[in-house]
Amino acid sequence: TGEWIIVSPHRISRPWGGEKSSPSNQGFTKISSYLSPGATRSNGAVNPNYTSTFVFPNDFAALVPGHTGKCAPPGTCKAAEDKDELFQSREAAGECHVMCFTPHSDLSLPLMSEEDIQTVIREWMRLSDQLKHNLYVQIFENKGAMVGCSNSHPHCQIWSSQFMPYLIDLESKNQKEYFRKHNVPLLVRYLERELQDGSRIVEQSEHWVALVPYWAKWPFELLGLPTRHVLKLCHLTSEEVVDLSMTMKRYLTRYDNLFECSFPYSMGWHEAPNMIPNDKPTSEDPSPDIHDVTPESCDVTHWQLHAHYFPPLLRSSSVKKHIAGYE
């Protein structure tokens, strides 16, 4: 994103009088929830008796399609605040889906078989392609109550928006600027450098690498990268899917073994935006949406598919890391 991070490794040795805890096993339990097969959800819908993955539209979607299924142009929202530049609003259109990884409530990804993890990955690939009519597709998993997950059944969410999310927009601008200067994707060159150094590599296979990024802000933060230039999940080969299932299972198992608990984290796949050209003029709005895309902006060669993992744990299975700073 271009953000600078202050790194002070010597502070790990400072006297600790803060929160402490005893070791605990915070694993998944075999309980019934509204995401279980055959369960009735709060809106009255009944889940099928699914035996693998299960995808459905989010019953409480944060994003919904606009009146025409597209994002409203700037200035069309009826709120009175729009007349004042200090109180701006704009329709945020899109779609939200939920995906259950497995019918078993007591299984998380590291406890699933590699074959079942491959099924999850292929479903991610299908959704990446199916939702490409939106400007951006974000697949993410918030695992554990500590990161705000409201249901313990193993699942992720897919939000596809007709605008560029803020962090994705920052990543895109910085990757594009690097590509303009060096004619190679930033994260492709970055991985080359990390493999030469080797000190931050956590897992490495033929097609994937999991590493602690040089700019890590969170304890135990990970970055997942393919070893070749890939734009989107739906572009993965069969060999890369198999290899990813093995690599994911390994580094997620490392997480669980760290504090002997079902390790919480926020994970997000950042794939290339779906640049859709149209003949509408580019607006000056700071949050680009589908109306701001021009044919010139459709080249996303600068992008590299990657996954972020942000775990909240600090010193044990229950001591949470808080982002506190002097600013």
Side-chain angles (χ1 to χ4, degrees):
T1 63
E3 179 184 8
W4 286 87
I5 306 296
I6 297 175
V7 179
S8 304
H10 54 280
R11 283 175 55 80
I12 196 68
S13 301
R14 73 190 188 277
W16 182 256
E19 185 179 4
K20 298 179 181 179
S21 69
S22 301
S24 63
N25 184 16
Q26 300 177 1
F28 281 83
T29 55
K30 190 171 269 187
I31 59 173
S32 179
S33 76
Y34 65 82
L35 294 182
S36 299
T40 301
R41 304 201 299 274
S42 58
N43 65 347
V46 179
N47 297 333
N49 288 309
Y50 62 94
T51 58
S52 182
T53 58
F54 170 49
V55 178
F56 62 94
N58 195 316
D59 299 329
F60 301 94
L63 303 173
V64 295
H67 295 299
T68 62
K70 294 183 177 181
C71 189
T76 59
C77 296
K78 301 303 181 183
E81 293 87 348
D82 281 352
K83 299 177 181 179
D84 189 330
E85 65 177 337
L86 297 178
F87 299 91
Q88 297 185 40
S89 62
R90 192 172 182 182
E91 185 181 58
E95 305 169 61
C96 295
H97 293 81
V98 176
M99 173 182 164
C100 298
F101 295 147
T102 170
H104 304 290
S105 61
D106 57 340
L107 290 183
S108 58
L109 283 172
L111 299 178
M112 293 167 59
S113 68
E114 290 182 17
E115 291 74 18
D116 286 343
I117 296 174
Q118 290 166 30
T119 300
V120 170
I121 297 168
R122 291 192 178 95
E123 192 67 3
W124 286 342
M125 295 170 64
R126 183 186 70 81
L127 291 165
S128 168
D129 185 60
Q130 177 182 305
L131 297 168
K132 63 187 177 184
H133 56 277
N134 291 291
L135 185 58
Y136 192 75
V137 178
Q138 177 66 67
I139 297 172
F140 65 98
E141 178 192 5
N142 290 325
K143 179 191 175 191
M146 189 174 284
V147 295
C149 182
S150 61
N151 193 294
S152 62
H153 191 99
H155 71 285
C156 69
Q157 296 189 59
I158 305 92
W159 290 15
S160 49
S161 60
Q162 298 206 354
F163 59 90
M164 284 278 277
Y166 176 68
L167 290 179
I168 302 302
D169 189 41
L170 287 179
E171 285 190 356
S172 184
K173 288 176 179 176
N174 281 284
Q175 290 183 82
K176 183 175 288 186
E177 178 62 19
Y178 186 91
F179 189 84
R180 185 188 66 79
K181 291 180 179 178
H182 304 283
N183 200 36
V184 61
L186 183 155
L187 288 176
V188 170
R189 177 60 54 78
Y190 170 71
L191 180 58
E192 292 174 357
R193 298 288 192 269
E194 287 287 17
L195 290 174
Q196 290 170 1
D197 177 88
S199 63
R200 286 176 289 273
I201 305 299
V202 175
E203 284 291 345
Q204 181 179 354
S205 62
E206 180 180 357
H207 299 290
W208 294 92
V209 176
L211 55 85
V212 177
Y214 178 75
W215 54 83
K217 180 187 295 185
W218 292 90
F220 317 115
E221 181 176 333
L222 283 181
L223 178 69
L225 289 163
T227 56
R228 72 174 178 97
H229 186 202
V230 184
L231 296 178
K232 302 178 183 180
L233 283 163
C234 58
H235 296 166
L236 297 179
T237 66
S238 297
E239 292 78 12
E240 287 168 334
V241 169
V242 172
D243 205 38
L244 178 57
S245 69
M246 175 189 68
T247 308
M248 279 179 58
K249 185 175 176 67
R250 285 181 176 176
Y251 64 71
L252 293 180
T253 299
R254 285 178 179 267
Y255 268 163
D256 281 5
N257 289 343
L258 187 61
F259 294 130
E260 298 183 344
C261 68
S262 186
F263 205 82
Y265 56 74
S266 287
M267 179 280 290
W269 280 104
H270 288 189
E271 56 179 24
N274 300 308
M275 295 295 190
I276 307 173
N278 59 50
D279 56 4
K280 297 183 184 298
T282 300
S283 77
E284 296 180 357
D285 188 278
S287 300
D289 71 9
I290 203 167
H291 292 288
D292 296 325
V293 177
T294 62
E296 292 75 23
S297 68
C298 292
D299 185 2
V300 291
T301 310
H302 62 281
W303 196 273
Q304 170 71 322
L305 174 69
H306 58 284
H308 290 288
Y309 287 82
F310 302 122
L313 295 182
L314 178 60
R315 295 171 182 269
S316 76
S317 63
S318 60
V319 175
K320 185 177 181 179
K321 167 65 179 176
H322 298 276
I323 296 295
Y326 66 94
E327 298 169 279

